[in-house]
Structures are given as structure tokens and as C-alpha cells.
Amino acid sequence: MKYLGIDYGEKRIGLAIGDDLAVATPISAAVDSKKSHRIAHIKTLLHERRIEEIVIGYPYNMDGSVGFKAKEVDAFIGELKKAGVVLPIHRVDERLTSHQVETQLRGMKQKWDRKSGDLDSRAATLILQDFLDMRYPSMGMPADSCGDGMWQDD
């Protein structure tokens, strides 16, 4: 099984890949200025990497409710479907992933260019890794989850 992890953002879409070995790896983010080009980039990845399922971060509010940002992700999922993506899509709780990535990077004492999408792809990696840890619990370490391990299939 091959998975594409997505950390959706209006300007940048962080991306990660993983498989049934239960290891998520960041890849270059979709950072084109046009949303249609970012979606085309994702569709190309799905084909080239033979992705079978998509895992997308779902930004629940801290109280677990669905807010404005989560509705943006729902709209993006709708755009993927409209563009012909028919793969299963799993929504995974992504609360605090960006904060977790920024904390990790501060510990590394490196400066990161926000525009490159590297931070977003690292967040996508955490989202996908949480999903893989839940799906394949015997393959790796328990999830160092930024949320409560929730996921919802589309």
C-alpha cells in the first residue's frame, strides 16, 4: 500500500509519502501560486508514485469541533474529487502538528524558508506517520500523536 500525506494550506500544500512499512517521508511541497497547478502537481504524484490512498490533515478545533479551517480542507477534498481523484481519502486530526514541527526545528537551530514548503511537508509527514502508526501498530513505535489519534474516512 502506498500513501500520500497532505498538510493543506491556501498557499502551500505539504506532502509526504509512506507505505505499509509504516514510515512517512517528506517530499517537496506543492507551492505554485495557482491552486489548479498545486492540484495538478498532486495528481501527477498520485500517478507517478502509484499512490493508493490519501491521508489529509484535518484541523479540528481544540474542543474537537469542526471549524472554518476544517471546512477549507473539505472544500479542497471536493476539488480533488472534481479533478478526477477517486482514491480513498482519510481525514486525520492534525491539531498542533505545525507547532510540533516548529518546536523540533528550533531545537535543530536551523533557519527554514517558510515559502519553500519544507515546514508544511514536515507537518504532512507527522500527519501521515500518525495514520501509519494507527494502521500498522506492530510495525513501529506508538504514535507520538499531536492529537488524539482520530481519523475519519471520506
Side-chain angles (χ1 to χ4, degrees):
M1 214 39 152
K2 290 190 178 184
Y3 302 91
L4 178 68
I6 297 176
D7 179 41
Y8 174 76
E10 286 182 53
K11 296 181 182 178
R12 293 172 303 277
I13 300 173
L15 301 169
I17 57 168
D19 56 26
D20 48 10
L21 292 176
V23 176
T25 306
I27 59 174
S28 296
V31 295
D32 195 283
S33 60
K34 291 187 177 185
K35 185 184 273 189
S36 61
H37 291 179
R38 293 190 303 267
I39 289 174
H41 177 80
I42 290 169
K43 285 185 65 179
T44 299
L45 279 173
L46 295 174
H47 176 73
E48 288 177 352
R49 302 232 182 195
R50 296 187 175 133
I51 301 296
E52 298 168 83
E53 296 185 23
I54 297 170
V55 176
I56 189 164
Y58 202 66
Y60 290 99
N61 292 325
M62 292 308 285
D63 66 0
S65 64
V66 174
F68 177 73
K69 287 292 183 186
K71 291 177 183 174
E72 284 182 4
V73 170
D74 289 334
F76 175 70
I77 290 170
E79 290 175 48
L80 288 174
K81 289 178 178 181
K82 186 176 178 183
V85 174
V86 295
L87 300 174
I89 299 174
H90 308 280
R91 292 173 180 86
V92 174
D93 186 0
E94 71 159 323
R95 284 179 279 189
L96 302 178
T97 52
S98 295
H99 175 73
Q100 187 176 354
V101 168
E102 289 171 5
T103 300
Q104 289 172 354
L105 295 178
R106 271 195 301 272
M108 296 170 64
K109 297 183 180 176
Q110 285 184 306
K111 292 204 177 214
W112 294 86
D113 177 15
R114 191 97 167 108
K115 293 179 184 177
S116 71
D118 288 343
L119 294 173
D120 305 282
S121 287
R122 285 179 174 262
T125 303
L126 290 177
I127 292 162
L128 181 55
Q129 190 63 58
D130 277 352
F131 175 83
L132 294 172
D133 289 346
M134 289 182 286
R135 173 142 302 175
Y136 304 101
S138 64
M139 296 296 288
M141 304 295 289
D144 181 16
S145 180
C146 54
D148 61 6
M150 297 184 347
W151 95 59
Q152 172 187 351
D153 293 339
D154 190 45

